[in-house]
Amino acid sequence: MTNYVIEVEGVTKSYGGVVANQSISMKVPDGKITGLIGPNGSGKTTLFNSIVGYHPIDEGSIKFKGQEISSLRVPQIARLGLLRTFQQTRIYSNMNCIENMLISVPHRKMGFADMFGEREDKATMEEVERLLDFVGLYEKRRLRSGDLSFGQQKLLEFAMALMNKPEVLLLDEPTAGINPTLINGLIDRLRRANEEFGITLFVIEHNMRVIMNMAESIYCLAHGEMLAHGSPDEIQNDQRVIDAYLGAH
Amino acid sequence: MNKNFSFKLHFPILVFGIAAPFLFPGLQLQFATLWVMVLFALTWDIMGGQMGYNSLGNIFFFGVGMYTSVLFQVGQFAEIGAYTAAHGGDSFTFTNAEYYQGLVIGIIMSGVVAAITAALLGWTVFGLRGPYFAIGTLGMAIAAGELMGTWEWVGAGSGISVPVFPGSAYARSLLFYFLCFGAAVLTFVAVQWIYKTRFGLAVNAIRDDEEKAEAMGIHTLRYKTVAWSISAFFVGISGALFGNITGIIEPLEVAFPTVTFGIFMVAMTLLGGKGTLWGPVLGAILFHTLKEVTWTYFLGWQWVALGVLIIVNVVFFQQGIMGWLMEKFPEKFGIVVENKEATR
């Protein structure tokens, strides 16, 4: 039997008059890579925001490992092990890469005294260096992260997410704005994060080559509604998806 | 910043701090005020520089500390209402033991009460961001001054006088000089330490991108509240000391001086370089020196001079002295590309 880490049930979210998500239901299986595609404005990021608690939902239920999380706030959900990255890369731009990584340690069990805890113990530093090496930023680790190139910032954000040891990682367009050679490296690293660290990935992506290669199952949104769900092959050959999003080749 | 550089600054400043009241006996209170300014800048920078919350109302805790201290100094031995009564008030004298006991407890409580006040206020004020936070905190400080000015029990607008020091004027200024110096050193040591712990990283993360920090699971409200409480603790203590130096606590000009000290703490930090350890210290020293010089030699033009300094600083030199040095000599601050072979 498949275990589902995220279970979304009948979620509706509207902004003013715009219904961004209309009774969306979907499930993310544990330990797998799941994709989310759809045209611009179809409600993908809204769904992400709803899952991580960025805004309250109008209706429906969102469960993380069986626990209802739709009324929790962003930091509480993050501390449960459900983390997201942003479409517009977000890092702490005035801090160097090492500092960005150090503060990204899991905050799950942090008590009051841990606020003034040691931040650079040996094990943490080794982990920081290993992960910065993993994304190829080791040499630049002492530079102000805001001075890195866009692609490098994206890699840093990914490394920060790994540093947090999440169980599930929601990635919002991880390859957008990254050059083709770097994309291959990033796909490889995403796969390895999934296989080696056991992190479940739920990925929004417009790059079809990337998502079709990586994901085991894909959801497609259009106009705020769930249009289709299936394996990459099924999605690619689904007439509704082709009409709404992929276009005829 | 490397240790060597820090030590090169620590040592002469300590020596100067200890020697100054003996070298310049006529300037003891000016120097005492200088250390209060250093404390102001350091504590403002916890919020404005390191955490990115530009509070214009930190001076609120100065007044809270000042009133708390005097109420403990007097209240332990006399009825406050009778002490402050404008007409027919009793006259009180304090014994030496009462004076010193009152002072010690007053100073400690001023810090504690200010910190607790900050923690309580934090739950509401931290709902504000950016300019709204600045204006909200400013409003809080102004309102506090006005409210204290109507509260008869604490002397209302005519204020409340601090118990009289039981020794010579020289001993008094020496004592309060060293208390101010000690408070500034303690503040420096405390902020230097907290910036080295996880706390420093967390407040920097909040400064750079609070939404990201929340998304990464950081207890942002907890860090912000504690940051403000730490800041308030030391500002409260400085209020207790300054109230005792002034002798009489009046709500608007002495306890809650929003347009002077309240703005100075921001200006000094910006001048020295916000978000750095030494910037506030250097900024406070420069600012206070310039202020004293203009007040002495260009009386009538002193506000113009300070105004020009603030404008030049804000328009042309936003990063401040330390920020400029970091831009100019990044490698001195450890901002370098380093490959594996060099380090392993």
Side-chain angles (χ1 to χ4, degrees), chain B residues 79-97:
Chain B
E79 167 55 40
I80 304 271
Y83 181 85
T84 54
H87 299 290
D90 301 336
S91 83
F92 293 91
T93 47
F94 297 87
T95 66
N96 280 6

Side-chain angles (χ1 to χ4, degrees), chain B residues 30-259:
Chain B
Q30 276 86 341
F31 277 114
T33 313
L34 169 65
W35 297 119
V36 171
M37 292 296 139
V38 170
L39 184 153
F40 277 169
L42 280 168
T43 51
W44 189 84
D45 194 52
I46 300 174
M47 296 291 295
Q50 300 283 350
M51 204 170 79
Y53 270 75
N54 296 310
S55 162
L56 291 179
N58 266 23
I59 201 67
F60 171 70
F61 302 109
F62 185 69
V64 168
M66 199 179 277
Y67 272 102
T68 303
S69 174
V70 73
L71 292 182
F72 272 94
Q73 283 177 263
V74 173
Q76 290 181 71
F77 312 106
E79 167 55 40
I80 304 271
Y83 181 85
T84 54
H87 299 290
D90 301 336
S91 83
F92 293 91
T93 47
F94 297 87
T95 66
N96 280 6
E98 283 176 344
Y99 179 85
Y100 288 111
Q101 182 191 325
L103 184 64
V104 170
I105 292 178
I107 291 172
I108 294 169
M109 290 312 292
S110 64
V112 172
V113 170
I116 292 171
T117 314
L120 293 176
L121 283 171
W123 290 98
T124 52
V125 179
F126 284 126
L128 304 173
R129 303 267 165 100
Y132 303 100
F133 180 79
I135 295 300
T137 49
L138 177 64
M140 189 182 80
I142 293 173
E146 297 293 340
L147 284 173
M148 293 309 268
T150 62
W151 193 6
E152 290 293 340
W153 189 65
V154 296
S158 52
I160 177 170
S161 59
V162 180
V164 179
F165 181 74
S168 69
Y170 179 76
R172 177 176 179 274
S173 46
L174 204 60
L175 171 71
F176 285 105
Y177 171 83
F178 277 109
L179 284 175
C180 290
F181 178 55
V185 170
L186 193 66
T187 308
F188 183 86
V189 172
V191 298
Q192 187 179 36
W193 174 69
I194 61 172
Y195 293 159
K196 279 185 189 154
T197 66
R198 186 171 293 120
F199 182 90
L201 289 176
V203 293
N204 284 169
I206 290 169
R207 171 195 65 196
D208 284 359
D209 192 337
E210 185 167 352
E211 241 174 53
K212 172 74 178 178
E214 283 182 354
M216 295 297 283
I218 298 176
H219 298 82
T220 48
L221 182 61
R222 188 193 286 176
Y223 278 101
K224 289 192 287 185
T225 309
V226 170
W228 214 23
S229 292
I230 293 171
S231 180
F233 177 82
F234 291 108
V235 178
I237 286 178
S238 75
L241 298 176
F242 204 81
N244 274 280
I245 291 174
T246 313
I248 177 132
I249 295 171
E250 180 274 339
L252 293 181
E253 301 283 326
V254 181
F256 299 98
T258 39
V259 291

Side-chain angles (χ1 to χ4, degrees), chain A residues 85-92 97 101 131-132 135-137 145-146 148-162 169-179 182-183 186 189-190 203-206, chain B residues 212:
Chain A
T85 64
F86 292 86
Q87 195 171 356
Q88 307 292 333
T89 305
R90 298 179 94 150
I91 49 166
Y92 309 121
C97 298
M101 295 294 284
L131 284 173
L132 283 176
V135 296
L137 285 173
S145 62
L148 298 176
S149 75
F150 177 76
Q152 290 170 329
Q153 292 186 7
K154 211 133 198 176
L155 289 166
L156 176 63
E157 191 186 32
F158 176 55
M160 287 160 70
L162 296 182
L169 191 51
L170 274 58
L171 298 157
D172 200 342
E173 298 193 34
T175 67
I178 292 191
N179 70 57
L182 208 54
I183 286 183
L186 188 66
R189 287 181 178 94
L190 287 172
V203 188
I204 294 179
E205 189 52 70
H206 279 304
Chain B
K212 172 74 178 178

Side-chain angles (χ1 to χ4, degrees), chain A residues 90 94 114-115 133 141, chain B residues 198 208-209 211 338 340:
Chain A
R90 298 179 94 150
N94 285 310
D114 291 321
M115 292 176 78
D133 204 21
R141 68 197 186 285
Chain B
R198 186 171 293 120
D208 284 359
D209 192 337
E211 241 174 53
E338 229 175 27
K340 266 184 207 168

